[in-house]
């Protein structure tokens, strides 16, 4: 751990979607259709698959193990059409 708690890298490319380098989805950049004016909504959820029915806990500032709120940073490459 570092001073920021648990950091995760989420990457969406032309080949698929990844968390910390592990493929999590076939969803690609072309499918989500982002442009420079797009809003980005981020959702964390537990699936209905039997192995994932234990739940999910998200902590924020002054609640839980880390003294900070959730933080998202967006990095992107501009591609010319």
């Amino acid at each position: 751990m570092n001073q920021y708690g648990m950091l995760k890298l989420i990457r969406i490319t032309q080949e698929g979607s990844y968390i910390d380098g592990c493929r999590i989805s076939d969803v690609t950049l072309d499918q989500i259709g982002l442009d420079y004016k797009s809003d980005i909504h981020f959702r964390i959820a537990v699936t209905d698959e039997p192995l994932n029915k234990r739940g999910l806990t998200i902590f924020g500032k002054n609640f839980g193990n880390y003294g900070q709120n959730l933080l998202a940073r967006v990095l992107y490459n501009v591609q010319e059409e």
Side-chain angles (χ1 to χ4, degrees):
M1 292 286 175
N2 59 38
Q3 69 184 22
Y4 300 110
M6 183 187 317
L7 298 176
K8 293 289 168 187
L9 175 63
I10 300 169
R11 181 176 294 222
I12 304 171
T13 70
Q14 300 295 8
E15 290 77 39
S17 299
Y18 305 83
I19 293 181
D20 294 338
C22 295
R23 189 182 186 95
I24 60 164
S25 171
D26 292 332
V27 174
T28 66
L29 282 174
D30 290 336
Q31 290 173 307
I32 59 176
L34 291 177
D35 66 21
Y36 73 97
K37 297 184 285 184
S38 296
D39 289 334
I40 299 173
H41 299 267
F42 185 74
R43 183 176 81 178
I44 300 172
V46 176
T47 67
D48 290 333
E49 296 175 24
L51 294 175
N52 295 316
K53 289 193 174 192
R54 291 175 285 194
L56 175 72
T57 304
I58 304 289
F59 295 114
K61 188 171 184 175
N62 300 319
F63 186 73
N65 297 334
Y66 305 105
Q68 73 172 50
N69 285 318
L70 296 176
L71 173 67
R73 184 171 58 158
V74 177
L75 306 172
Y76 60 92
N77 292 331
V78 176
Q79 296 181 348
E80 306 227 1
E81 294 186 34

